[in-house]
Every structure is written in C-alpha cells, then in structure tokens.
Amino acid sequence: MSEVQNPSSPGEGQEAGAKPAGLSRRGFVRNSALLGGLAALAGGLPVGTAAAATTSSTSATPRAGARSAQGSVDIPNRYNKPFSVADDELFIFAANFKPFELGGDDAGRESTKYFDTVFGDAIRAKFPAVKIKYATWDYPIRYEDIARAGRVPDLIIEDPRTRIDRDLEPLGWVGDLTADVQQAGIDLAALNQGCVELVKSRSDGGLYGVPVFIDEHVLLYNKMIFDKFRTRYPSVGSTYDDIYKTAKGLTRQDGIDHYKGYLQHPDNYLALNQLGLYPFVPGSSEQPAPEDVKVSLTSAEWKSVAHNMNRFLQLPGNGFTTPDDFFKGDMSFPGHVAMAVHTLSKLNAYSLSPLYVEEDDAADFAEWAKSVKIGVTSMPVLSRGSNAIYQPNARAAFIPPQSPKKAQSLEIIKYLVSEEIQTRLSSYGVKAVRQTEAVVNAFGTAIPELSGIDTSAVYWGENAIVKNYRNTEYWDIPLYKVFRQHVLIDGMDVDSSLQVAEQLDIPAYIKAQAAAGLTW
C-alpha cells in the first residue's frame, strides 16, 4: 500500500502544536507515529487507520486564515514554524510519497529537495511567470492545518488509491475534472491505463485527478545469496511457481546464519492484486449509504489469489515480517533475505542515492549495503505467459474546486504528463505514466548509484486494471485481517479467513467508521 502517515494527538498536558523541549523534529515525528501505533493496537485496527482517525482531516474545519500585510495567509502548525502562502503564489502540496518528506529538520531546512530536483525546478523553468509555493506532509504543515487556515492548495500530488476518500473528498478538495482535462488537451489514452482506471475507480463516476508517476513494485534479489548457494537469478516473466521453488531452496540455515527466501507484503498483494479484483459489489449508486456497501472476498478468483500467497507465508523459516528486511529492516543482520517484492523508491534508497536516503540514515545504509548486491527484475506473474503485474502504486495530481488558479494548475498538470517531464521523472528512478521509448530508456540515468544495476525490467509487463468498480464506493477496508490476523496469528485456513473478513471484519469496520462520522 501507499506509505501510511500517522497523524497523532499531542501528549497529555502538552499544548497542541508544541514540540517537547530537547526533542528533534525527526524524534518528535517518530514518537508521534509510535503513539498513533499504540492507539491503533488498542482499537484493534491497522495503525494507519486508527491513528489517522484520531486527527482525521474529516474533522478539520476550514476557517479564514490570518492575513499578513503582504497579502498572504499564515498557516499555523504543530512545529510553530512560520509558513504562509502569498496571494500571487500557486500553492502545491504533496503527500504520501516518502522521498518528498526527506530533508526537513529543526535548523530551518524544509522538505523541498526531492520536489525541487525532480519536479519544481522544471516547472519553474517552464512557467517562469508562475510563483510556486511548495510544501509536503507533514513538515511543517498537515492537511488539517491548511484546512483551518482556509488557504486551499492549488494543486495536490497524492495517492489516489486510498487518499481521495480518506483526505481529499471529506475536505471537499476534489471535483470532476473530465471536461477540464479534455479542454486542456490532456490525452488520457496516452497514459498508463491501469493508473487512469485506478483514479476513476475512486472518483464517483468522474475523474478527480490525473496520474503523474508510479512507485512501481519490482522483485529485488540479493545476488550474494544466490551466488553463495549457486542458484540461478530470477528473470522477467518468472511465475509465482518459479519463485516459490527458488524461495524454498534459499530458505535455509547455514551455520549460524539463517536466510529467508522471499518476502512480499500480503496486504499489498491483495489490495493491488494482479487480476484487477475489486472487493466492493456494484449496487445502484456511486455513493451508497454505508449500510448498503457490500464486499466479496470469497469468489473462486479471490480464493485462487489468496492461496497463491499463503504457501509463501507457510514456508518454514520464511515467516513474514516486512519487505524492508531485504536490506536490514528488523532483521538482526543485513542481507539475509534472498528476494522481496518492493518499490522503486526502496531500490533507489538501497542503491544509496542521497535523493532517497535521509541524511541521518546514510551511514547505516552504507554499512548494510556491504551485505547486499542488488538485482532487480519484474515481480512474479500468476501464470506462464501472463504479463500482469500489480495495479499501479500511483501518485496523481488533483485541483481543488476552490482554487483560484485552476487554469494555471491545469497547464502544470498537462506539462507533468508530457513526454518532456515524464522522461525527467523516469530518469530520477520512478516509473512514468507515459511510456515512450525515450521515457523508458531514461530510467535511472539521473541516479548514478543505479549505473551498475540492470534496471531493464522496470517497465516490463502491464499494470493490472481494476474492474467492476462502477456504482461502488471505496472504503479503506482492513484487508490486513485476512493474512496478518487470521492466518498468521489466529492460525485459520485461507478460505475461512476470507469468509470471516468478508462477513464480520469489514462490515464491522464500515459500521464503526460511519458511527464515527467517517466515510473511509
């Protein structure tokens, strides 16, 4: 899934927005995330869900922000850092892509390095008359800060899969852009259709945003382990059957060293499944009442997908932890996982690109990298001859209807999906939504650390296209219950776990969310 951010409430006796004395910004954020996680565990919900619910943007009440003498709106925030947006600035806000957040600290550096390098400098050069003001979640501001100040962003870059319903729609910051996109001359047919359909599936019958890039999932493998045990590397088009055989052979003990053969996040596997299965049952409305939302996880297709994953989870010695363990993560020692399905942003970080690694983590990453020689290929496919990979882990651009700079924002979006800047994005290690020969050939060329890694498989395959989503309403349902709760903790068989999730867990979740006044 997308990286889940964990807004949290201030500690007892602490004034909202205040940072404890002596605690760095990064420490403050990590402690806040921990508190959110504890709250989530107490409520029996996934961390991202419960933590976000404590300070959900659905409860943010827009009000007039304080206006300065220079014709700008001040946006107060939990870090007490001055932040304002001038009337003549086009305000871009980005969230839910970790590289956007890197760089901010207490010394006054804002988290702008990644945006400026990959997007901002090019946008400013293309539109020199447009004054760009940029910020990212959560330093120094969050959605609720923006909403309370009453200064709506003019353009938002976000995860369309979960955050339209969770953040943007409750704030009233999305509207149908179908006619605007057509009038602007943006050719959706030239873009990745898995991305386009993903956005449409969350847009209540319209088109709330335009996809811009994909943090694609690929199969990472540690050549050191393969070489040690004289095992053939995985290749493009490998099936899950192929990878299971390899994983079984590489899940082994060697002296005091234990190696895991394969890690793949089971929640992502279900949510982004390669058959394009959608868990919600079509009804008679694009916006059904909560009590009318129905799910189906027990069809033959869903069972087939789930059983395929379960064998990896049940492989002795290959217990699921996190794909981050491919590098180090929570493992005692780095470099003890042979293969893992992970994102391109992680590939860039593990290759030690400073654009993708927090400065404070660089020394640790460099040390861990001594135990990992990275190989990368396409993620496994369900059957021989298939080329269907995950539904896209996309980020899209949105224009709130309240923006006074809608025309300018549309021109920027049109530029963002042009071959010129899509080539630029690809060169910085993300997968483009416009895949021309120039774009594909440019992948990773601006990341020197990738020069010794064969990345030719990044654009292999076709993103699965979500289907049967008309007349449904998306809810960020707890799919984690299927594997991480019922199979791995409760010891259930797969068919039973799907049935319990469908008939008990998800209806209870939707009922609880609705009772709390939330619609996600």
Side-chain angles (χ1 to χ4, degrees), residues 315-370:
L315 186 60
N318 192 59
F320 176 75
T321 47
T322 165
D324 288 343
D325 285 351
F326 172 77
F327 201 57
K328 171 61 170 66
D330 296 324
M331 297 283 279
S332 296
F333 307 102
H336 278 59
V337 173
M339 296 177 286
V341 172
H342 223 327
T343 59
L344 290 176
S345 58
K346 289 294 186 178
L347 167 64
N348 294 321
Y350 297 162
S351 72
L352 306 184
S353 168
L355 199 58
Y356 288 85
V357 178
E358 184 73 68
E359 185 176 315
D360 292 354
D361 296 330
D364 286 338
F365 271 56
E367 183 62 30
W368 298 334
K370 296 175 183 178

Side-chain angles (χ1 to χ4, degrees), residues 50 84 107 113 123 136 170 205 227 243 284 286 317 323 359 384 395 440 504:
S84 62
K113 178 181 177 180
I123 294 171
T136 190
D227 294 343
I243 297 302
S284 58
E286 291 285 353
E359 185 176 315
R384 187 76 62 201
R395 300 300 180 270
V440 171
L504 298 178

Side-chain angles (χ1 to χ4, degrees), residues 19-20 22-32 79 98 101-107 109-111 136-142 358:
K19 178 169 64 65
L23 187 64
S24 70
R25 181 254 164 185
R26 295 184 75 236
F28 179 46
V29 172
R30 286 175 175 173
N31 282 7
S32 297
Y79 299 109
K98 193 64 180 178
E101 301 173 32
L102 303 183
D105 68 4
D106 294 326
R109 289 187 295 123
E110 294 183 16
S111 306
T136 190
W137 195 101
D138 84 321
Y139 186 68
I141 57 175
R142 298 181 173 190
E358 184 73 68

Side-chain angles (χ1 to χ4, degrees), residues 316-508:
N318 192 59
F320 176 75
T321 47
T322 165
D324 288 343
D325 285 351
F326 172 77
F327 201 57
K328 171 61 170 66
D330 296 324
M331 297 283 279
S332 296
F333 307 102
H336 278 59
V337 173
M339 296 177 286
V341 172
H342 223 327
T343 59
L344 290 176
S345 58
K346 289 294 186 178
L347 167 64
N348 294 321
Y350 297 162
S351 72
L352 306 184
S353 168
L355 199 58
Y356 288 85
V357 178
E358 184 73 68
E359 185 176 315
D360 292 354
D361 296 330
D364 286 338
F365 271 56
E367 183 62 30
W368 298 334
K370 296 175 183 178
S371 301
V372 181
K373 185 176 181 182
I374 299 174
V376 57
T377 190
S378 58
M379 65 176 295
V381 294
L382 291 169
S383 59
R384 187 76 62 201
S386 171
N387 71 342
I389 56 176
Y390 271 166
Q391 296 167 49
N393 182 31
R395 300 300 180 270
F398 303 89
I399 303 174
Q402 304 89 338
S403 168
K405 298 178 174 61
K406 189 172 183 179
Q408 290 178 318
S409 296
L410 270 170
E411 285 302 307
I412 290 175
I413 291 178
K414 183 177 181 179
Y415 177 56
L416 289 178
V417 296
S418 69
E419 184 178 49
E420 177 184 338
I421 199 164
Q422 288 284 298
T423 302
R424 180 186 181 92
L425 299 183
S426 186
S427 75
Y428 279 105
V430 297
K431 184 176 174 181
V433 296
R434 182 185 293 270
Q435 295 174 21
T436 65
E437 183 177 359
V439 169
V440 171
N441 290 339
F443 181 82
T445 54
I447 307 291
E449 294 77 14
L450 291 178
S451 60
I453 301 174
D454 180 1
T455 59
S456 60
V458 167
Y459 281 95
W460 185 89
E462 297 291 335
N463 289 108
I465 297 176
V466 60
K467 55 189 179 183
N468 297 328
Y469 61 79
R470 301 291 181 184
N471 285 335
T472 64
E473 175 73 3
Y474 177 80
W475 289 69
D476 193 11
I477 56 178
L479 286 175
Y480 83 98
K481 289 281 191 176
V482 174
F483 284 119
R484 288 193 290 130
Q485 178 64 49
H486 296 319
V487 171
L488 296 179
I489 295 178
D490 298 338
M492 285 186 186
D493 63 77
V494 172
D495 290 354
S496 297
S497 70
L498 291 170
Q499 184 176 349
V500 171
E502 175 188 288
Q503 297 178 6
L504 298 178
D505 299 327
I506 294 171

Side-chain angles (χ1 to χ4, degrees), residues 99-303:
F100 283 138
E101 301 173 32
L102 303 183
D105 68 4
D106 294 326
R109 289 187 295 123
E110 294 183 16
S111 306
T112 62
K113 178 181 177 180
Y114 187 88
F115 175 81
D116 286 343
T117 300
V118 182
F119 298 87
D121 292 347
I123 294 171
R124 294 181 180 100
K126 181 71 173 180
F127 304 98
V130 178
K131 295 175 64 176
I132 302 294
K133 179 71 174 186
Y134 170 78
T136 190
W137 195 101
D138 84 321
Y139 186 68
I141 57 175
R142 298 181 173 190
Y143 279 129
E144 56 264 36
D145 302 324
I146 301 170
R148 292 189 187 105
R151 178 52 169 98
V152 175
D154 300 297
L155 193 155
I156 300 171
I157 300 175
E158 245 296 14
D159 171 11
R161 190 175 66 82
T162 60
R163 295 293 165 162
I164 288 178
D165 291 271
R166 198 162 178 158
D167 286 311
L168 304 183
E169 194 171 34
L171 285 167
W173 288 358
V174 286
D176 187 10
L177 295 176
T178 302
D180 300 289
V181 165
Q182 291 175 346
Q183 291 172 8
I186 298 173
D187 182 11
L188 295 178
L191 307 184
N192 181 300
Q193 290 305 290
C195 291
V196 173
E197 290 302 307
L198 175 67
V199 174
K200 286 183 177 180
S201 73
R202 308 303 198 262
S203 298
D204 302 316
L207 179 77
Y208 286 160
V210 177
V212 175
F213 69 92
I214 308 166
D215 190 19
E216 190 61 89
H217 286 82
V218 291
L219 181 64
L220 304 179
Y221 58 95
N222 187 350
K223 291 182 177 181
M224 286 182 160
I225 298 176
F226 280 79
D227 294 343
K228 178 182 179 68
F229 297 112
R230 299 181 180 180
T231 302
R232 181 180 298 177
Y233 300 152
S235 59
V236 292
S238 293
T239 65
Y240 281 98
D241 288 345
D242 298 330
I243 297 302
Y244 179 75
K245 291 177 183 177
T246 302
K248 191 173 182 179
L250 292 177
T251 301
R252 58 197 297 172
Q253 192 77 21
D254 184 60
I256 64 170
D257 289 312
H258 179 76
Y259 297 92
K260 289 186 178 183
Y262 184 80
L263 293 176
Q264 183 172 4
H265 203 299
D267 303 358
N268 291 346
Y269 172 80
L270 291 177
L272 302 172
N273 70 85
Q274 290 157 265
L275 293 182
L277 300 177
Y278 192 63
F280 301 97
V281 179
S284 58
S285 170
E286 291 285 353
Q287 295 181 305
E291 61 269 20
D292 294 329
V293 175
K294 308 297 180 185
V295 297
S296 174
L297 292 176
T298 53
S299 69
E301 287 182 308
W302 274 110
K303 288 180 179 180

